[in-house]
Amino acid sequence: DAILSPRPEDIAAALSSGLLVADGRGYAFRHELARIAVEQALPAPLAAALHGRVLAALRAEGRRAEPVARTRLVHHAAGAGDSAAVLELAPEAAEEAVSHGAHREAASLFAVALAHAGGQSPRRRVALLEQRAYRCYLTDQIEAAIEARLSALAIWRTLGEVEPEGRTLRWLSRLSWFVGRGEDAERYADAAAGLLQTLPPGRELAWALSNRSQLDMLSNRMDRAVTHGAQAIAMARSLGDDEILAHALNNVGSARYLDRDGAGRAMLEESLRLSLERGYGEHVARAYANLVSFAITSRDYATALRFVDDAMSYFATADFDSWTHHSLAWQARMAFEQGAWERAEHLAGNLLARYGVAAISRIPAMLVLCRLRRRRGDPGADRLLEEVADLARGSGQLNHRAAVVSAQAEAAWLRDPPGGLPSEFDEVFAEAVTSRSPREIEELAFWARQLGHPVSAGPEPATAAAWAARGCPYEQALALLEGEAAAVRQGLALLDGLGARAVSRQVRERLRVAGVRGVARGPRASTAGNPAGLTNQEVKVLRLLATGLTNAEIAGHLGRSEKTVDHHVSAVLRKVGARSRAEAAVFASRIGLA
């Protein structure tokens, strides 16, 4: 009314057409796409003028009655091209978003402010860049965070300020690790520590040492991680800085936990407690992520499940996408290792379908899907393994590289005849031994033995009973295959129950060639050879369903009754774990049927 004074009949026409809806206090577009279409149809000068008039009216309304949401004011200020208003309002709106845990919204608002900050002082611009970078970091928009930090680095170097330059280098190290650029992460970490050590000891040097400890821990250099972390802890205590203390306790605790030092988990939980008490959201998220992933690495699934519940409840309170994605990837891995393969596929597939997931979370999820496809005999395993191998090499992390080599060894074991060890096996295995990484040593040694290449280091092969106690049915099945006829039959039954069709088929063929009798035939060939255990008829239904046909149309194509097709569609949805026809179509596309 204040801006356009519309006639009642014009409002009625817009409402009856469905363009607008009434919410009791005013009118709104039924859909955001409609609003965008109308706005884009306006000449730019007219749109800017209208935005300006709306902004003025809303600010006046906010002074007279209840305040108007700042994000709404920012929207109209940006549309009006009113840079002064944007720079006044956007940082305030961003801080308000942060107070509600809406870090992604805050990142967007800082981006709006930066778009209008061209005429501002370098210090004003760099402050906005650092805020945007941090919010992007929390929400797994890592490439955008790197871009902002690089722009900030250029400003600090132009200003000749060493301490903030060192801080920015430290952040670039952290961000590079997230996107799987291990060499860049190391280079930035060394540059940050080297630069800050030229200054009197202070807060930024303590952060740089803690970051150095963190990278050492993630790269399985546990002794160095403890040394650098202890220095950071001592400096944090002398500075009275609990945030740095929480970060460094996490690093040292993680290193000792992974090194099978009983005090490590206690230090990690102390970091979590301190972070929860002080409200250090990032460090709470990181502590939960480490507790979950390290428990899974140790096959302590009960502990992992306890922390998963706490972590996901905490992540639900705010935008912590970077750690939510990390935890989802590790939950997929836990489900995979415990034989809950449909859940593992669902978790990993959903995560990889999200936009912008960082490499450090993509790698474990991709490995889950790759190994599932291999064991089931589904298509796409080779291509996915090549892709994840490149990411793992780039990350430089032993745990990722060892997991890839194990997957490659398993693929070689499933060939007919079996292949040899992967070319990187000796290098990665030696690194695992040097860095005292028990999980990597055990898994690599396991697959080396399966291929007939026993290694000198590593534990004795676990028994089927030991694998059962750990809750790992696939490894239990493979151990049973080494036993007497009754154990072999039990192992094959386990493989069939898991849906490991390719493995079961290969094992049965090898037993047949070896002259072993009394081994059950296994699932029908027509079903076992198809993804998700579909029959040939169900594969045809899935292929047609993926084209968008109705059940009646599918019935016409196949010459079957619609009722019969209804039953087939229900079976297909159940077997592929889809909740809708759309999800089934996505599955069909993923396995090459659409």
Side-chain angles (χ1 to χ4, degrees):
D1 288 339
I3 298 164
L4 296 176
S5 301
R7 297 182 305 162
E9 53 267 34
D10 292 334
I11 293 175
L15 288 169
S16 64
S17 72
L19 181 66
L20 295 184
V21 293
D23 65 4
R25 296 190 304 168
Y27 307 104
F29 286 96
R30 182 178 294 276
H31 197 284
E32 175 68 359
L33 290 175
R35 187 199 66 76
I36 293 171
V38 169
E39 183 177 7
Q40 290 180 344
L42 296 172
L46 176 57
L50 288 171
H51 273 296
R53 291 166 67 185
V54 174
L55 175 64
L58 288 174
R59 297 187 93 168
E61 176 67 21
R63 287 190 289 270
R64 287 195 303 270
E66 61 184 78
V68 179
R70 287 190 180 90
T71 51
R72 190 174 176 191
L73 297 177
V74 172
H75 167 74
H76 291 297
D82 188 341
S83 294
V86 169
L87 290 168
E88 172 196 349
L89 295 164
E92 294 175 356
E95 290 304 320
E96 185 176 22
V98 168
S99 72
H100 294 286
H103 299 295
R104 186 172 290 273
E105 176 74 7
S108 297
L109 286 161
F110 282 120
V112 173
L114 282 163
H116 290 262
Q120 299 298 300
S121 69
R123 291 187 185 280
R124 181 76 189 279
R125 294 200 310 278
V126 81
L128 293 171
L129 285 165
E130 290 185 341
Q131 286 281 9
R132 168 150 170 85
Y134 186 64
R135 303 304 155 188
C136 287
Y137 160 66
L138 295 180
T139 53
D140 214 0
Q141 302 175 79
I142 307 299
E143 293 292 356
I146 290 174
E147 181 182 352
R149 289 288 178 186
L150 287 171
S151 296
L153 181 64
I155 292 175
W156 288 125
R157 283 176 169 170
T158 299
L159 294 173
E161 299 205 14
V162 175
E163 191 170 70
E165 180 184 346
R167 178 180 67 240
T168 308
L169 289 167
R170 186 252 304 175
W171 269 113
L172 285 166
S173 170
R174 176 65 172 154
L175 296 169
S176 296
W177 175 83
F178 253 96
V179 291
R181 297 173 196 150
E183 290 184 4
D184 286 351
E186 298 285 348
R187 177 169 55 84
Y188 282 127
D190 289 341
L195 186 65
L196 291 166
Q197 283 170 343
T198 65
L199 303 176
R203 189 169 185 271
E204 292 304 335
L205 177 58
W207 270 119
L209 288 169
S210 192
N211 178 71
R212 182 67 273 174
S213 169
Q214 184 177 15
L215 267 187
D216 289 333
M217 175 269 294
L218 292 166
S219 299
N220 291 75
R221 298 186 292 265
M222 301 311 179
D223 293 339
R224 287 181 56 183
V226 171
T227 299
H228 286 127
Q231 292 174 330
I233 288 171
M235 291 185 70
R237 293 191 192 280
S238 68
L239 292 166
D241 194 311
D242 283 345
E243 185 178 11
I244 300 173
L245 179 60
H247 190 271
L249 282 170
N250 186 314
N251 300 326
V252 176
S254 295
R256 295 176 69 175
Y257 188 178
L258 288 170
D259 210 22
R260 301 294 175 95
D261 182 335
R265 180 170 149 187
M267 291 184 75
L268 191 46
E269 292 189 16
E270 172 64 12
S271 171
L272 174 61
R273 183 196 62 76
L274 180 60
S275 299
L276 284 167
E277 285 180 0
R278 300 290 192 271
Y280 300 145
E282 172 199 346
H283 308 308
V284 173
R286 182 170 161 251
Y288 274 134
N290 284 353
L291 284 164
V292 168
S293 60
F294 298 160
I296 294 169
T297 297
S298 303
R299 300 189 192 273
D300 184 0
Y301 302 118
T303 298
L305 282 170
R306 177 167 66 84
F307 283 118
V308 160
D309 290 340
D310 292 343
M312 298 313 288
S313 296
Y314 185 81
F315 296 156
T317 64
D319 293 336
F320 291 120
D321 294 353
S322 293
W323 293 275
T324 302
H325 292 164
H326 183 272
S327 293
L328 285 171
W330 279 85
Q331 285 180 66
R333 176 169 164 175
M334 177 165 58
F336 171 69
E337 292 179 1
Q338 292 192 292
W341 285 3
E342 288 188 6
R343 173 170 168 75
E345 182 179 39
H346 177 74
L347 287 168
N350 281 357
L351 177 61
L352 293 173
R354 298 186 182 189
Y355 175 76
V357 176
I360 218 66
S361 299
R362 290 181 62 81
I363 290 170
M366 291 170 73
L367 278 165
V368 165
L369 284 186
C370 169
R371 300 186 85 163
L372 274 177
R373 290 179 184 178
R374 182 80 63 194
R375 293 175 186 182
R376 289 171 168 172
D378 292 348
D382 290 336
R383 178 188 57 78
L384 195 57
L385 184 54
E386 289 175 7
E387 186 179 347
V388 72
D390 288 340
L391 287 176
R393 288 188 203 99
S395 76
Q397 283 193 228
L398 173 62
N399 63 329
H400 295 321
R401 291 164 51 229
V404 165
V405 169
S406 293
Q408 291 170 334
E410 183 177 10
W413 176 70
L414 279 169
R415 293 192 197 109
D416 187 18
L421 287 172
S423 59
E424 294 181 65
F425 181 89
D426 289 341
E427 175 189 345
V428 173
F429 187 73
E431 186 177 336
V433 172
T434 301
S435 61
R436 306 190 304 273
S437 303
R439 173 62 186 266
E440 284 70 31
I441 292 171
E442 180 186 54
E443 191 162 338
L444 290 166
F446 177 88
W447 287 110
R449 293 188 191 101
Q450 292 297 118
L451 287 169
H453 297 275
V455 293
S456 56
E460 289 297 313
T463 63
W467 285 118
R470 290 177 174 183
C472 300
Y474 181 72
E475 288 78 7
Q476 178 191 357
L478 297 190
L480 286 166
L481 296 178
E482 303 295 326
E484 300 298 326
V488 170
R489 285 194 290 273
Q490 185 184 350
L492 287 169
L494 270 176
L495 292 175
D496 292 338
L498 287 168
R501 294 179 297 275
V503 183
S504 177
R505 193 164 54 246
Q506 187 71 282
V507 168
R508 282 183 164 90
E509 177 61 20
R510 289 174 185 171
L511 291 171
R512 187 190 66 77
V513 171
V516 178
R517 296 183 178 182
V519 176
R521 183 171 61 89
R524 287 177 54 189
S526 61
T527 300
N530 288 327
L534 301 176
T535 65
N536 289 335
Q537 189 74 352
E538 288 166 350
V539 169
K540 293 176 184 177
V541 169
L542 176 58
R543 194 187 300 274
L544 292 169
L545 184 153
T547 66
L549 297 182
T550 65
N551 286 6
E553 290 168 333
I554 293 173
H557 274 270
L558 296 178
R560 295 287 189 273
S561 72
E562 188 173 347
K563 186 174 181 179
T564 298
V565 170
D566 288 343
H567 290 310
H568 282 317
V569 169
S570 296
V572 167
L573 294 178
R574 176 176 51 79
K575 288 184 177 181
V576 306
R579 293 168 295 181
S580 66
R581 299 168 75 91
E583 286 189 8
V586 171
F587 176 84
S589 176
R590 193 170 73 237
I591 64 173
L593 288 179

